[in-house]
Amino acid sequence: MDEESSPPENELPIWSKDVNGAREEIFQFLRVENNLKVIYIDGWDGFGASAILRSIAEVLPSRRTTAELCFDRIIYVDCSEWKNRRAVQRTIAEELQLDHSVMAILDEQDEEDDFNKVDESSRNEIHNVGKVINQTLRGTKLMMIFLNGSDEEVDVSTFGIPLAIFDNNIIIWTFSRRNHVRSKDALRYTHAFSLFYHSIKEFSWREFLRLLSQQAIAIVARNPFVPEIDPTMVADCCLYELFLHYNFHTVTEFNWVGHASNFWICDAIIQGDRAMDISNLLHREINWVCDSSLPDGVLEEFMRDFVTPFWLVTDDYAYEEGPYRWISITSSKMDLQTILMRKEQSNMEIQGLRNIPVETSSFFLAFESSSQQRCLPDGLFECANKLGVLILSCCAFDFASPPFQKCQSLRFLGLNHCTNSKSGEGEDNAEWTYLCNVSVLDLRYTEWNEILCEEKMDLMTNITELNIEGVWSQQCVGNLQGRLPNLQRLRITKPIYKGKPAEDFDNSFVDKTSMKILDLSGNSDMEILPASISKASSLQLLVLDGCNGLESVGGLPSSLESFSFNGHGPASQWTQTVALPPEQFRRSTIEDSNMDIRVSEISLAGCTQLKNLFLCWLPNLVELDLSGIAIKIFDLNTMVVQVPKLKRVFLIGCTRLRAIIPLHESGSEIKKELELLCIDTRVGTVCSRPSINWTKSFKFELHVVAADARLTRSVKGLLLPYVQKGIMKDVSCNIHVTSSAVHNEVVQFEATSPSDQESLQQLIPAGPYSDVLGMVGNPPLQDFPQAPTTTKRDHHIEIAKGSSYVESELLGDLGYLVGTSAESLHVHDTSIRAIALYEFYQFALRWCCVERCPELDVVFPSASTGFNVLQTFWASDLLTARWIWGKASYKGFFSHTTNTFPNLQHLHLRSCPTLQFVVPLYGLSFPSLKTLHIIHCGDLVHVFELNMDYPEEITILSARFPKLTTIHLHDLPKLQQICEIKMVAPALESIKIRGCWSLRRLPSVGARGQGKKKPAVEIEKDMWDAMEWDADHRPDHFEVPVHSRYYKEKLPRVSVLRYAMCILLPSPSLYDCTASCGCIQSLTILFLRLPHRLGELCAAVLVSSVATSKRWVGAPASAAESSAWFACVFAWIDIVWRCC
C-alpha cells in the first residue's frame, strides 16, 4: 500500500454496548461495504476491542452461508505482546501453516540480524517470506484479524497480504489494550474507522461487568494450555487491578499495583497448586496502563449506584455501608477519625465505618505521610474473618499487640511508615498464630522489631515473599538460616540503621533453594555478599543497586537470569517477574556522583542462564567477567553505562554470543581505558583466562575464539577505530575461528608477570606424524622445515576445524581483518574452497600457513599484489588445490619494474598433488626470496608462471632472484621449469633435486670468481645428464653433482604381481615337497605369459596352493611361501581396483 495513504474516509458506526452486538454490526457493515479492505476497531474508549476481534474469529466460520461473510481462510494474528514487524510476519506464516523452509528463512534472518547487531525492535519483514505468503493467498478470500501490540499503525500489505483493489481480502484490526486511537486522522493505511457512539462511562455496572467478562474470555482463549484459568477468575483479576489503579495512582508514593499478582492469590481470587504460575501469567495479560481520569470516571459512577463489590473512601467520598469485598480509605488531608465518623447531608442516614465487614477480603488504609500519628480505632478488625490482604500506610498501632492479630485468614500484610502507638515496651500478649498463614510480608519504613525476631520468623512457614525497606539489613539477613523455608522473593533495601553482620551472615542462604528474586538495593555498608548465595540454586534475579561498600561480586549461582548493579530503577517499578524493568525506567546516571562506590571486580562467570544485565555508574569497576553467560548481544553502551575505568572484560564460554557493540558510539571514538577483551564462543571447551601481556605495552589486547565466523563482524567494530587511525601497533589481537581446540591453546595462559609470559606455547604444532618420524628418522631428501612459530606475533588469525560461515565472511569482515589487522594467518583442517580476500588490500600479512584443507581449490584466487610484506608462506596437504595465487584477469597487471612479492623470503609447499603452479609473475624480480622447498606435488608444472596478460618481449627476459640461496625439490614428476622464463639466482648456495624427471633447466647462477664457492648440487645422474645448458648457463658453474647412493637402474614397467612372481619362480624351496614340481613351474610360467591380469591371478593362485599343500603335510615354512600368499592378495586387490 502507498505510504502516503490518507486517513480513512469511511466510518463504521457501533451502537451496541456489548461484544456480541458490536460483532453483528460489523458483520452487517461487511455485507454492505465489502470493498473496504482494512477496518480498525477501537472499542469503547479502548475497552473491549480485543474481545470483539476474538468473537469475530470464533463466530465467522459459522456464517459461511452468507456470501459476503464466506472466506476461504480466516487467520487470527495475536501480536498484543509486541516484538517487531518480523514477528507479525512469522505469526502470519504460522497461521497459514507454511512449509518449514519458510520458517527456516525467518530463523536464519533473525540469526543474521543478531550477528549484525540489529536491535530486536527494529527487525522488519522479509521480502522472500512475503512473496511466499502472497503466492499462498493469491486467488483466495482471506479474513485476517490482527491485534497490534505496537504504538503505530502497521501496513499489513508489506507482510505479503494481497490488498489490491480486485482482491477480496479483508483485515480487521485493533491496537492492544495499551493503546487507544482518539482520532481517525492518526491512521494512514486503514479504509474504515469504527465509531463507538457510547463511552464506557455511559455503561451501567451490569453492562460493564458483561464487557469485562467478555474481555476475560478473550484472555482465556489466548492461553488454551492452562485449563485452570476460567473467565470468572480473570474478570475478577481485571476488576481488582482497575480498582488498584484508581486507589493508588495519586495518594501514595509506592506502587502497590506492582503487587497485583500477590493480591490476587492472597485475596483468594486465584487458588490451587498452580496459583503462582497463573498469577504471573495474568500479570502479563492484564495491564491497565491508561490515564487516571478513565478509571476515576467509570468507578465513581458505579459507586454512586451502590452496586460495586468495592468502596473507595477519599477526601471527596465518604464511606457507605455495604458488603464490600475490597475497601480502600485514602486521604491527603483529614485524620482517620474524621473519615470514619463523618456524615454526609443526604436523604438517608449514613453510618461511619466502625469495623471492617465480614465479607471484606482486602482492606487498604493510606494517608499522606505526616508527623501526626493516626491510631487505628478499637474493634476495626473485630469481624474481619475473611481478610486476606491488609495494607496500612502512615498508621499507628500497638506493635506488641497488633489489632489484626485475630485475622487468621491474613495472607498479605503491608505496612508503610507505620509507628508504635505505645511509647514503652509493653508485654507481648498477642496471638501470633496468624503469621503461620501469611504469604507476603511487606514492611516499608516501619520499625517493628518484634515481627522479625527469630521466634516470630519461625512461625512464618508459608512466607513466599519478604520485603523490608528502610529499616534493617545485614542483621535481618543473618536470621534467615533455617527459617522461611518457602521463601521465593526477598527484598531488603535502603536500610537506615547501620550494623555489623550477624554471626551466621555467610550461611544465610544455605537452605534457600526456592528463592528466585534477591534485591539488596541501598545496602551501602555491606562489604561482602553472603558466601552461601551460591547455594540459592533457583535464584533468577539479583539487584545490588546502591551496594556501594561491596568491593567485589562473585560466586553467584548458575540459575541467575538477570543482574543489576545501580541500574534496576526506582522501587516503585517492582515486579514479580525476574526480568529487569523496561528501559525507560532504568537509571542512566546516579543521583549522587560523589558517592564512594568501591566495587572493582564483578564476576558472573558460570551464570549459564544470564540474559539480562545492566550496570550503571561504577567508577572503580576494573574487571567484568561474564564467562559462560547466555547473552546474545553484549552492548557496552546500554548494558554497561558510565563505567569509566573498566579495563578487562571476559566472555569465555559464551556459546550463544552473536554480537558485541563496542564502548565507542561512533566509528572513530576509542574507549582508551579498556585494555583486555577476551571472547570464546566454543561449546564444551573450557579454557583459562588470558591476561595482560606484560612483556609489551599495548593499549588494547583482544583475544577471540569464534565458533561462528560471523562474530568477526563485531570484532571488526572493535578494531576499526585503530585501523582508521593507523595505530594498530598499539593493539594486540589473536583471533581464532574454530569450534575445536585452538592449536596448543595459546589463549590458555594466566601470565601475571613478565617471567610467566616466556612459558607460552607455540601456536603451530608439529605434523600429525611427528612422533613416528622421530622414531625412524627423516628419510633422505625429505627433511622439510617446520612451520615458523607465531608465539611472539601480536596480530594473529587462525581459521580451523569446525568453523562455520568462513567463506562468506572472508569476503566480508573476516577478510577485512585478515587484510588490515593480521600479521600471521594459519588456516588448517577446514572445508573451504578458497581464501577469497579483497583484491586491492595492501595486506599486513607477514606469515601465512595453510594446511590440511581437503576442499581448497585456490588458496588466494585474487591477484597477489596486496602481499607486499609477506615473508613466509607454508602450505601442506592441500589435496585439491590447483594453484596458490590466482592470476589477474585485467590488463596492465604486469610491470617490468615491479617486484613480485618484494618481501617474500621463504616458500614451502608439501603434499599438494594437484597443484599446477604457485605464483603468477607480475614483475621480473623476487628481491627477498631465500629458500624454496617443494615436495610431493605431482601435477606441478611451474612454480613461477607468467600472468594471463603479459607483453611479448617478456619471454626473452629473465626473472631475478638476487637472494635465493636454497632450492629443495622432491617428487615433482611433471615439473618442467622452476620459472616459466629464464631464472637468474646469483646467490644460490645449494640445490637438491630428486624425482623431478621432467625438469630440464636449473636456475642460471653465472660464473663465479676465483675462490668463490659454487652452488652444491644433489641430483639423480639421469636428470643431470638430461639438463639443458647454454653459453651463459653451463654445468661448470656448479659444484660436481652428488648423485644418490641408493640410485639403481630403471626397472621394467610391469605390475607388482608379475615382478613378485618372477622372483618366486626360481625358488626351489617352493616345489621341493611335490612330485610334479617341474610341471607346476612350467604351468606357472605359461600363465605369466598371458597378457591379461587373469593370467597373473592364476599363477598366484597356483603358487599359493602349492605353499598351502606344504603346510598340510607339515613342511617347514619359507619366505617364498609367504611371498606367494602376499602375491595372491596383491592380485585380487589389483583386479578389484581396476574394475572400480
Side-chain angles (χ1 to χ4, degrees):
M1 296 178 64
D2 186 6
E3 293 187 359
E4 302 300 328
S5 300
S6 58
E9 298 180 358
N10 300 278
E11 290 184 350
L12 166 57
I14 303 293
W15 293 93
S16 300
K17 288 186 177 182
D18 66 277
V19 170
N20 294 337
R23 180 196 65 222
E24 294 303 321
E25 290 187 61
I26 294 172
F27 284 166
Q28 180 60 34
F29 182 81
L30 293 177
R31 294 188 188 99
V32 178
E33 299 289 347
N34 55 15
N35 62 324
L36 300 176
K37 308 297 181 185
V38 183
I39 302 171
Y40 172 74
I41 306 299
D42 189 46
W44 298 272
D45 297 320
F47 283 91
S50 60
I52 294 173
L53 266 62
R54 169 62 66 177
S55 179
I56 291 174
E58 292 175 349
V59 175
L60 189 59
S62 64
R63 303 295 177 88
R64 297 180 63 86
T65 55
T66 304
E68 293 82 4
L69 302 180
C70 181
F71 294 90
D72 300 322
R73 290 178 181 265
I74 301 172
I75 61 174
Y76 184 80
V77 180
D78 186 353
C79 293
S80 52
E81 293 188 12
W82 184 260
K83 289 181 63 178
N84 48 52
R85 294 173 61 90
R86 187 176 301 156
V88 180
Q89 191 177 49
R90 179 185 292 273
T91 306
I92 294 173
E94 291 171 349
E95 289 291 326
L96 294 176
Q97 299 180 347
L98 297 183
D99 188 77
H100 292 297
S101 60
V102 177
M103 310 309 295
I105 295 174
L106 291 163
D107 293 337
E108 289 171 5
Q109 189 58 50
D110 279 340
E111 193 175 81
E112 276 291 311
D113 286 347
D114 284 340
F115 285 106
N116 288 330
K117 299 173 280 190
V118 179
D119 186 73
E120 184 84 17
S121 61
S122 302
R123 300 184 180 183
N124 295 323
E125 58 276 12
I126 301 174
H127 176 75
N128 289 339
V129 175
K131 192 174 181 180
V132 175
I133 293 174
N134 189 277
Q135 292 173 349
T136 303
L137 297 177
R138 184 64 62 186
T140 65
K141 187 177 181 181
L142 169 74
M143 166 63 78
M144 174 176 164
I145 300 167
F146 175 38
L147 267 66
N148 181 3
S150 73
D151 296 327
E152 298 179 352
E153 182 187 13
V154 175
D155 180 7
V156 295
S157 66
T158 60
F159 302 133
I161 305 296
L163 289 177
I165 189 172
F166 298 110
D167 291 316
N168 295 321
N169 303 325
I170 294 178
I171 312 298
I172 297 180
W173 72 282
T174 187
F175 282 116
S176 70
R177 58 190 175 278
R178 293 181 293 272
N179 204 347
H180 167 50
V181 177
R182 302 184 184 277
S183 172
K184 64 181 181 181
D185 293 336
L187 304 177
R188 292 189 299 166
Y189 310 112
T190 300
H191 303 147
F193 180 86
S194 62
L195 182 60
F196 285 74
Y197 282 91
H198 293 286
S199 169
I200 192 69
K201 298 179 180 180
E202 301 176 21
F203 279 42
S204 67
W205 176 248
R206 185 179 300 276
E207 291 169 340
F208 179 76
L209 285 183
R210 184 167 64 245
L211 177 60
L212 206 59
S213 297
Q214 292 168 328
Q215 186 75 23
I217 292 173
I219 293 176
V220 173
R222 282 203 295 270
N223 300 277
F225 303 108
V226 188
E228 294 87 349
I229 298 180
D230 64 79
T232 303
M233 174 200 299
V234 177
D236 285 346
C237 292
C238 291
L239 187 60
Y240 197 107
E241 181 157 328
L242 195 62
F243 159 75
L244 289 176
H245 274 283
Y246 174 55
N247 193 8
F248 292 111
H249 65 263
T250 56
V251 175
T252 178
E253 62 191 76
F254 295 108
N255 182 21
W256 293 104
V257 179
H259 274 299
S261 59
N262 280 329
F263 293 151
W264 296 333
I265 296 175
C266 297
D267 194 80
I269 297 175
I270 302 176
Q271 303 180 47
D273 296 336
R274 296 191 60 192
M276 185 65 70
D277 296 333
I278 294 172
S279 179
N280 290 335
L281 186 149
L282 293 180
H283 190 64
R284 295 190 296 269
E285 289 279 356
I286 303 170
N287 187 11
W288 301 113
V289 180
C290 51
D291 63 79
S292 59
S293 62
L294 186 59
D296 285 358
V298 173
L299 298 183
E300 287 173 6
E301 288 295 328
F302 295 153
M303 284 198 305
R304 288 195 183 101
D305 297 334
F306 307 103
V307 293
T308 60
F310 55 84
W311 192 264
L312 298 101
V313 181
T314 64
D315 294 334
D316 299 322
Y317 293 94
Y319 174 75
E320 304 288 348
E321 186 176 1
Y324 305 117
R325 291 176 59 189
W326 314 320
I327 297 176
S328 172
I329 301 176
T330 59
S331 175
S332 60
K333 296 183 292 186
M334 294 175 288
D335 61 26
L336 180 61
Q337 295 293 334
T338 302
I339 288 183
L340 294 179
M341 305 304 298
R342 184 180 60 179
K343 295 181 181 293
E344 294 283 344
Q345 299 296 325
S346 177
N347 296 329
M348 56 182 293
E349 183 178 352
I350 303 175
Q351 296 182 355
L353 173 65
R354 296 185 181 276
N355 48 59
I356 298 173
V358 177
E359 298 82 3
T360 302
S361 57
S362 293
F363 183 75
F364 300 84
L365 179 58
F367 294 93
E368 191 174 277
S369 178
S370 68
S371 59
Q372 182 181 359
Q373 291 185 351
R374 297 174 172 84
C375 295
L376 298 178
D378 296 335
L380 181 62
F381 299 95
E382 191 70 28
C383 302
N385 297 327
K386 295 183 179 180
L387 190 64
V389 176
L390 175 61
I391 303 295
L392 301 176
S393 180
C394 300
C395 298
F397 59 89
D398 185 1
F399 285 175
S401 181
F404 43 81
Q405 59 184 307
K406 294 183 179 181
C407 301
Q408 297 298 317
S409 299
L410 190 62
R411 301 188 64 190
F412 190 111
L413 178 59
L415 304 176
N416 170 39
H417 285 91
C418 290
T419 57
N420 191 357
S421 61
K422 302 292 184 179
S423 57
E425 293 290 338
E427 294 185 7
D428 188 352
N429 298 320
E431 297 179 9
W432 296 93
T433 56
Y434 73 93
L435 292 177
C436 297
N437 297 319
V438 173
S439 297
V440 182
L441 178 60
D442 195 304
L443 302 179
R444 309 186 189 190
Y445 301 95
T446 300
E447 301 178 34
W448 192 2
N449 298 333
E450 291 87 346
I451 201 170
L452 290 177
C453 67
E454 295 181 2
E455 179 184 354
K456 304 302 185 297
M457 292 180 71
D458 286 336
L459 296 174
M460 302 178 188
T461 56
N462 289 308
I463 283 280
T464 60
E465 181 169 341
L466 176 61
N467 302 317
I468 303 173
E469 180 177 339
V471 190
W472 315 279
S473 171
Q474 302 180 68
Q475 300 90 333
C476 180
V477 172
N479 293 336
L480 292 176
Q481 184 183 4
R483 301 180 178 90
L484 311 184
N486 297 309
L487 187 64
Q488 296 183 20
R489 296 184 284 266
L490 175 63
R491 297 183 177 93
I492 303 178
T493 61
K494 301 180 181 179
I496 59 176
Y497 297 109
K498 299 180 179 179
K500 296 182 179 179
E503 293 182 0
D504 294 334
F505 177 76
D506 277 342
N507 298 322
S508 302
F509 303 126
V510 168
D511 53 353
K512 298 299 177 287
T513 56
S514 299
M515 187 169 63
K516 297 181 179 180
I517 295 177
L518 177 60
D519 187 351
L520 299 175
S521 299
N523 286 269
S524 58
D525 294 326
M526 183 180 291
E527 296 180 355
I528 59 171
L529 289 175
S532 58
I533 194 171
S534 61
K535 305 295 184 181
S537 55
S538 299
L539 188 64
Q540 298 177 7
L541 170 63
L542 177 61
V543 182
L544 299 176
D545 295 0
C547 295
N548 302 335
L550 290 175
E551 295 184 356
S552 64
V553 176
L556 303 180
S558 60
S559 58
L560 196 67
E561 295 182 9
S562 302
F563 176 79
S564 171
F565 204 132
N566 287 349
H568 192 254
S572 61
Q573 300 303 324
W574 276 356
T575 64
Q576 307 309 308
T577 61
V578 298
L580 296 178
E583 196 167 326
Q584 62 267 28
F585 295 124
R586 300 180 192 171
R587 296 173 179 170
S588 59
T589 184
I590 204 75
E591 288 84 356
D592 185 3
S593 59
N594 296 320
M595 289 191 300
D596 181 19
I597 303 176
R598 301 178 184 177
V599 64
S600 61
E601 180 179 345
I602 295 177
S603 175
L604 301 175
C607 298
T608 55
Q609 305 301 315
L610 188 68
K611 302 174 184 176
N612 303 299
L613 172 70
F614 193 63
L615 310 177
C616 178
W617 188 242
L618 302 176
N620 294 309
L621 183 64
V622 175
E623 181 173 301
L624 178 61
D625 190 350
L626 303 176
S627 298
I629 68 173
I631 202 164
K632 282 187 177 182
I633 299 178
F634 181 48
D635 190 345
L636 285 165
N637 292 299
T638 60
M639 295 180 177
V640 183
V641 179
Q642 296 185 5
V643 186
K645 294 183 180 179
L646 185 63
K647 295 182 182 297
R648 299 183 292 275
V649 178
F650 298 95
L651 291 161
I652 298 173
C654 297
T655 58
R656 303 180 188 178
L657 185 67
R658 292 176 177 172
I660 301 170
I661 302 177
L663 283 166
H664 50 83
E665 297 180 357
S666 62
S668 59
E669 184 181 351
I670 299 175
K671 190 68 176 178
K672 298 180 180 180
E673 289 76 13
L674 190 62
E675 296 178 353
L676 178 65
L677 176 60
C678 303
I679 305 164
D680 189 343
T681 64
R682 292 174 295 176
V683 177
T685 302
V686 180
C687 65
S688 58
R689 305 185 319 180
S691 62
I692 300 297
N693 187 337
W694 296 103
T695 61
K696 297 183 180 181
S697 57
F698 292 110
K699 293 182 179 179
F700 178 49
E701 292 189 32
L702 177 65
H703 299 266
V704 179
V705 184
D708 193 311
R710 290 175 292 181
L711 187 62
T712 56
R713 302 173 191 177
S714 294
V715 177
K716 175 188 174 182
L718 294 167
L719 296 176
L720 183 61
Y722 298 94
V723 174
Q724 291 178 335
K725 289 179 174 289
I727 52 174
M728 278 299 294
K729 66 180 185 303
D730 296 333
V731 179
S732 172
C733 60
N734 278 278
I735 302 168
H736 308 266
V737 183
T738 178
S739 63
S740 58
V742 175
H743 257 129
N744 285 347
E745 290 292 355
V746 76
V747 296
Q748 294 189 6
F749 60 91
E750 190 73 32
T752 57
S753 66
S755 60
D756 294 336
Q757 203 76 19
E758 299 175 0
S759 63
L760 297 183
Q761 295 179 333
Q762 298 178 352
L763 263 175
I764 308 302
Y769 308 108
S770 57
D771 53 344
V772 178
L773 294 177
M775 292 186 292
V776 303
N778 288 329
L781 272 178
Q782 292 202 29
D783 49 317
F784 194 72
Q786 291 295 319
T789 62
T790 59
T791 300
K792 297 182 179 180
R793 296 194 179 274
D794 305 317
H795 305 87
H796 177 68
I797 294 179
E798 177 189 4
I799 302 172
K801 182 179 180 180
S803 51
S804 55
Y805 295 92
V806 173
E807 283 196 75
S808 60
E809 293 306 311
L810 281 170
L811 291 171
D813 292 332
L814 177 56
Y816 177 88
L817 292 172
V818 172
T820 61
S821 307
E823 292 183 355
S824 59
L825 174 66
H826 185 200
V827 183
H828 63 94
D829 302 290
T830 183
S831 298
I832 59 175
R833 291 169 295 178
I835 305 176
L837 305 176
Y838 284 109
E839 187 168 347
F840 295 103
Y841 275 156
Q842 290 299 318
F843 304 125
L845 204 60
R846 298 178 181 274
W847 180 94
C848 183
C849 175
V850 184
E851 53 185 348
R852 297 185 301 280
C853 298
E855 297 181 14
L856 198 63
D857 180 51
V858 181
V859 180
F860 298 108
S862 58
S864 53
T865 52
F867 295 86
N868 288 337
V869 297
L870 183 66
Q871 297 175 356
T872 301
F873 182 81
W874 195 94
S876 67
D877 301 297
L878 307 181
L879 302 182
T880 60
R882 292 179 296 146
W883 55 77
I884 303 298
W885 277 275
K887 297 181 179 181
S889 57
Y890 48 87
K891 294 185 179 296
F893 185 72
F894 187 90
S895 173
H896 293 75
T897 59
T898 301
N899 293 325
T900 305
F901 288 86
N903 288 287
L904 182 64
Q905 299 178 20
H906 309 284
L907 180 60
H908 308 291
L909 304 174
R910 180 178 65 185
S911 300
C912 302
T914 60
L915 193 67
Q916 299 172 14
F917 75 93
V918 180
V919 180
L921 291 172
Y922 61 90
L924 290 178
S925 176
F926 280 78
S928 302
L929 188 63
K930 296 179 180 179
T931 60
L932 177 64
H933 288 73
I934 305 177
I935 64 175
H936 304 315
C937 297
D939 287 348
L940 187 65
V941 178
H942 299 103
V943 178
F944 308 105
E945 194 167 281
L946 289 171
N947 192 55
M948 296 173 64
D949 176 51
Y950 61 90
E952 294 270 340
E953 65 274 11
I954 193 63
T955 56
I956 61 174
L957 300 177
S958 59
R960 298 178 299 278
F961 293 78
K963 295 184 179 180
L964 183 62
T965 59
T966 304
I967 296 178
H968 183 162
L969 307 175
H970 176 67
D971 191 19
L972 311 177
K974 292 186 179 181
L975 183 67
Q976 298 177 5
Q977 291 176 296
I978 299 176
C979 184
E980 192 172 4
I981 61 176
K982 185 178 180 180
M983 178 179 179
V984 178
L988 191 64
E989 296 176 358
S990 68
I991 180 168
K992 297 180 180 181
I993 299 175
R994 177 159 312 159
C996 304
W997 305 107
S998 300
L999 185 63
R1000 291 295 178 265
R1001 189 174 182 89
L1002 297 179
S1004 177
V1005 297
R1008 298 195 176 176
Q1010 187 72 22
K1012 289 186 178 181
K1013 189 176 180 180
K1014 299 178 183 179
V1017 180
E1018 291 186 23
I1019 192 172
E1020 291 94 340
K1021 186 177 184 304
D1022 290 349
M1023 289 185 57
W1024 179 258
D1025 295 339
M1027 285 294 166
E1028 298 176 356
W1029 310 96
D1030 56 37
D1032 298 327
H1033 179 54
R1034 302 196 306 269
D1036 58 0
H1037 290 170
F1038 298 88
E1039 294 282 353
V1040 176
V1042 177
H1043 304 308
S1044 173
R1045 291 173 294 175
Y1046 307 100
Y1047 180 77
K1048 294 182 179 181
E1049 296 291 338
K1050 285 186 178 181
L1051 298 176
R1053 296 177 63 88
V1054 297
S1055 69
V1056 175
L1057 175 61
R1058 186 176 297 272
Y1059 180 70
M1061 295 303 300
C1062 291
I1063 296 176
L1064 291 174
L1065 285 175
S1067 175
S1069 63
L1070 186 63
Y1071 313 104
D1072 59 5
C1073 66
T1074 61
S1076 56
C1077 59
C1079 180
I1080 294 174
Q1081 187 173 16
S1082 301
L1083 187 59
T1084 303
I1085 295 173
L1086 178 63
F1087 284 150
L1088 287 175
R1089 289 177 178 175
L1090 295 175
H1092 303 293
R1093 290 290 182 265
L1094 182 59
E1096 298 175 5
L1097 179 60
C1098 292
V1101 171
L1102 178 62
V1103 175
S1104 63
S1105 300
V1106 172
T1108 304
S1109 66
K1110 288 187 65 178
R1111 297 189 180 214
W1112 289 343
V1113 298
S1118 66
E1121 291 181 52
S1122 301
S1123 299
W1125 278 100
F1126 282 118
C1128 184
V1129 173
F1130 290 156
W1132 280 110
I1133 294 175
D1134 188 46
I1135 291 175
V1136 172
W1137 179 79
R1138 292 177 182 275
C1139 292
C1140 294

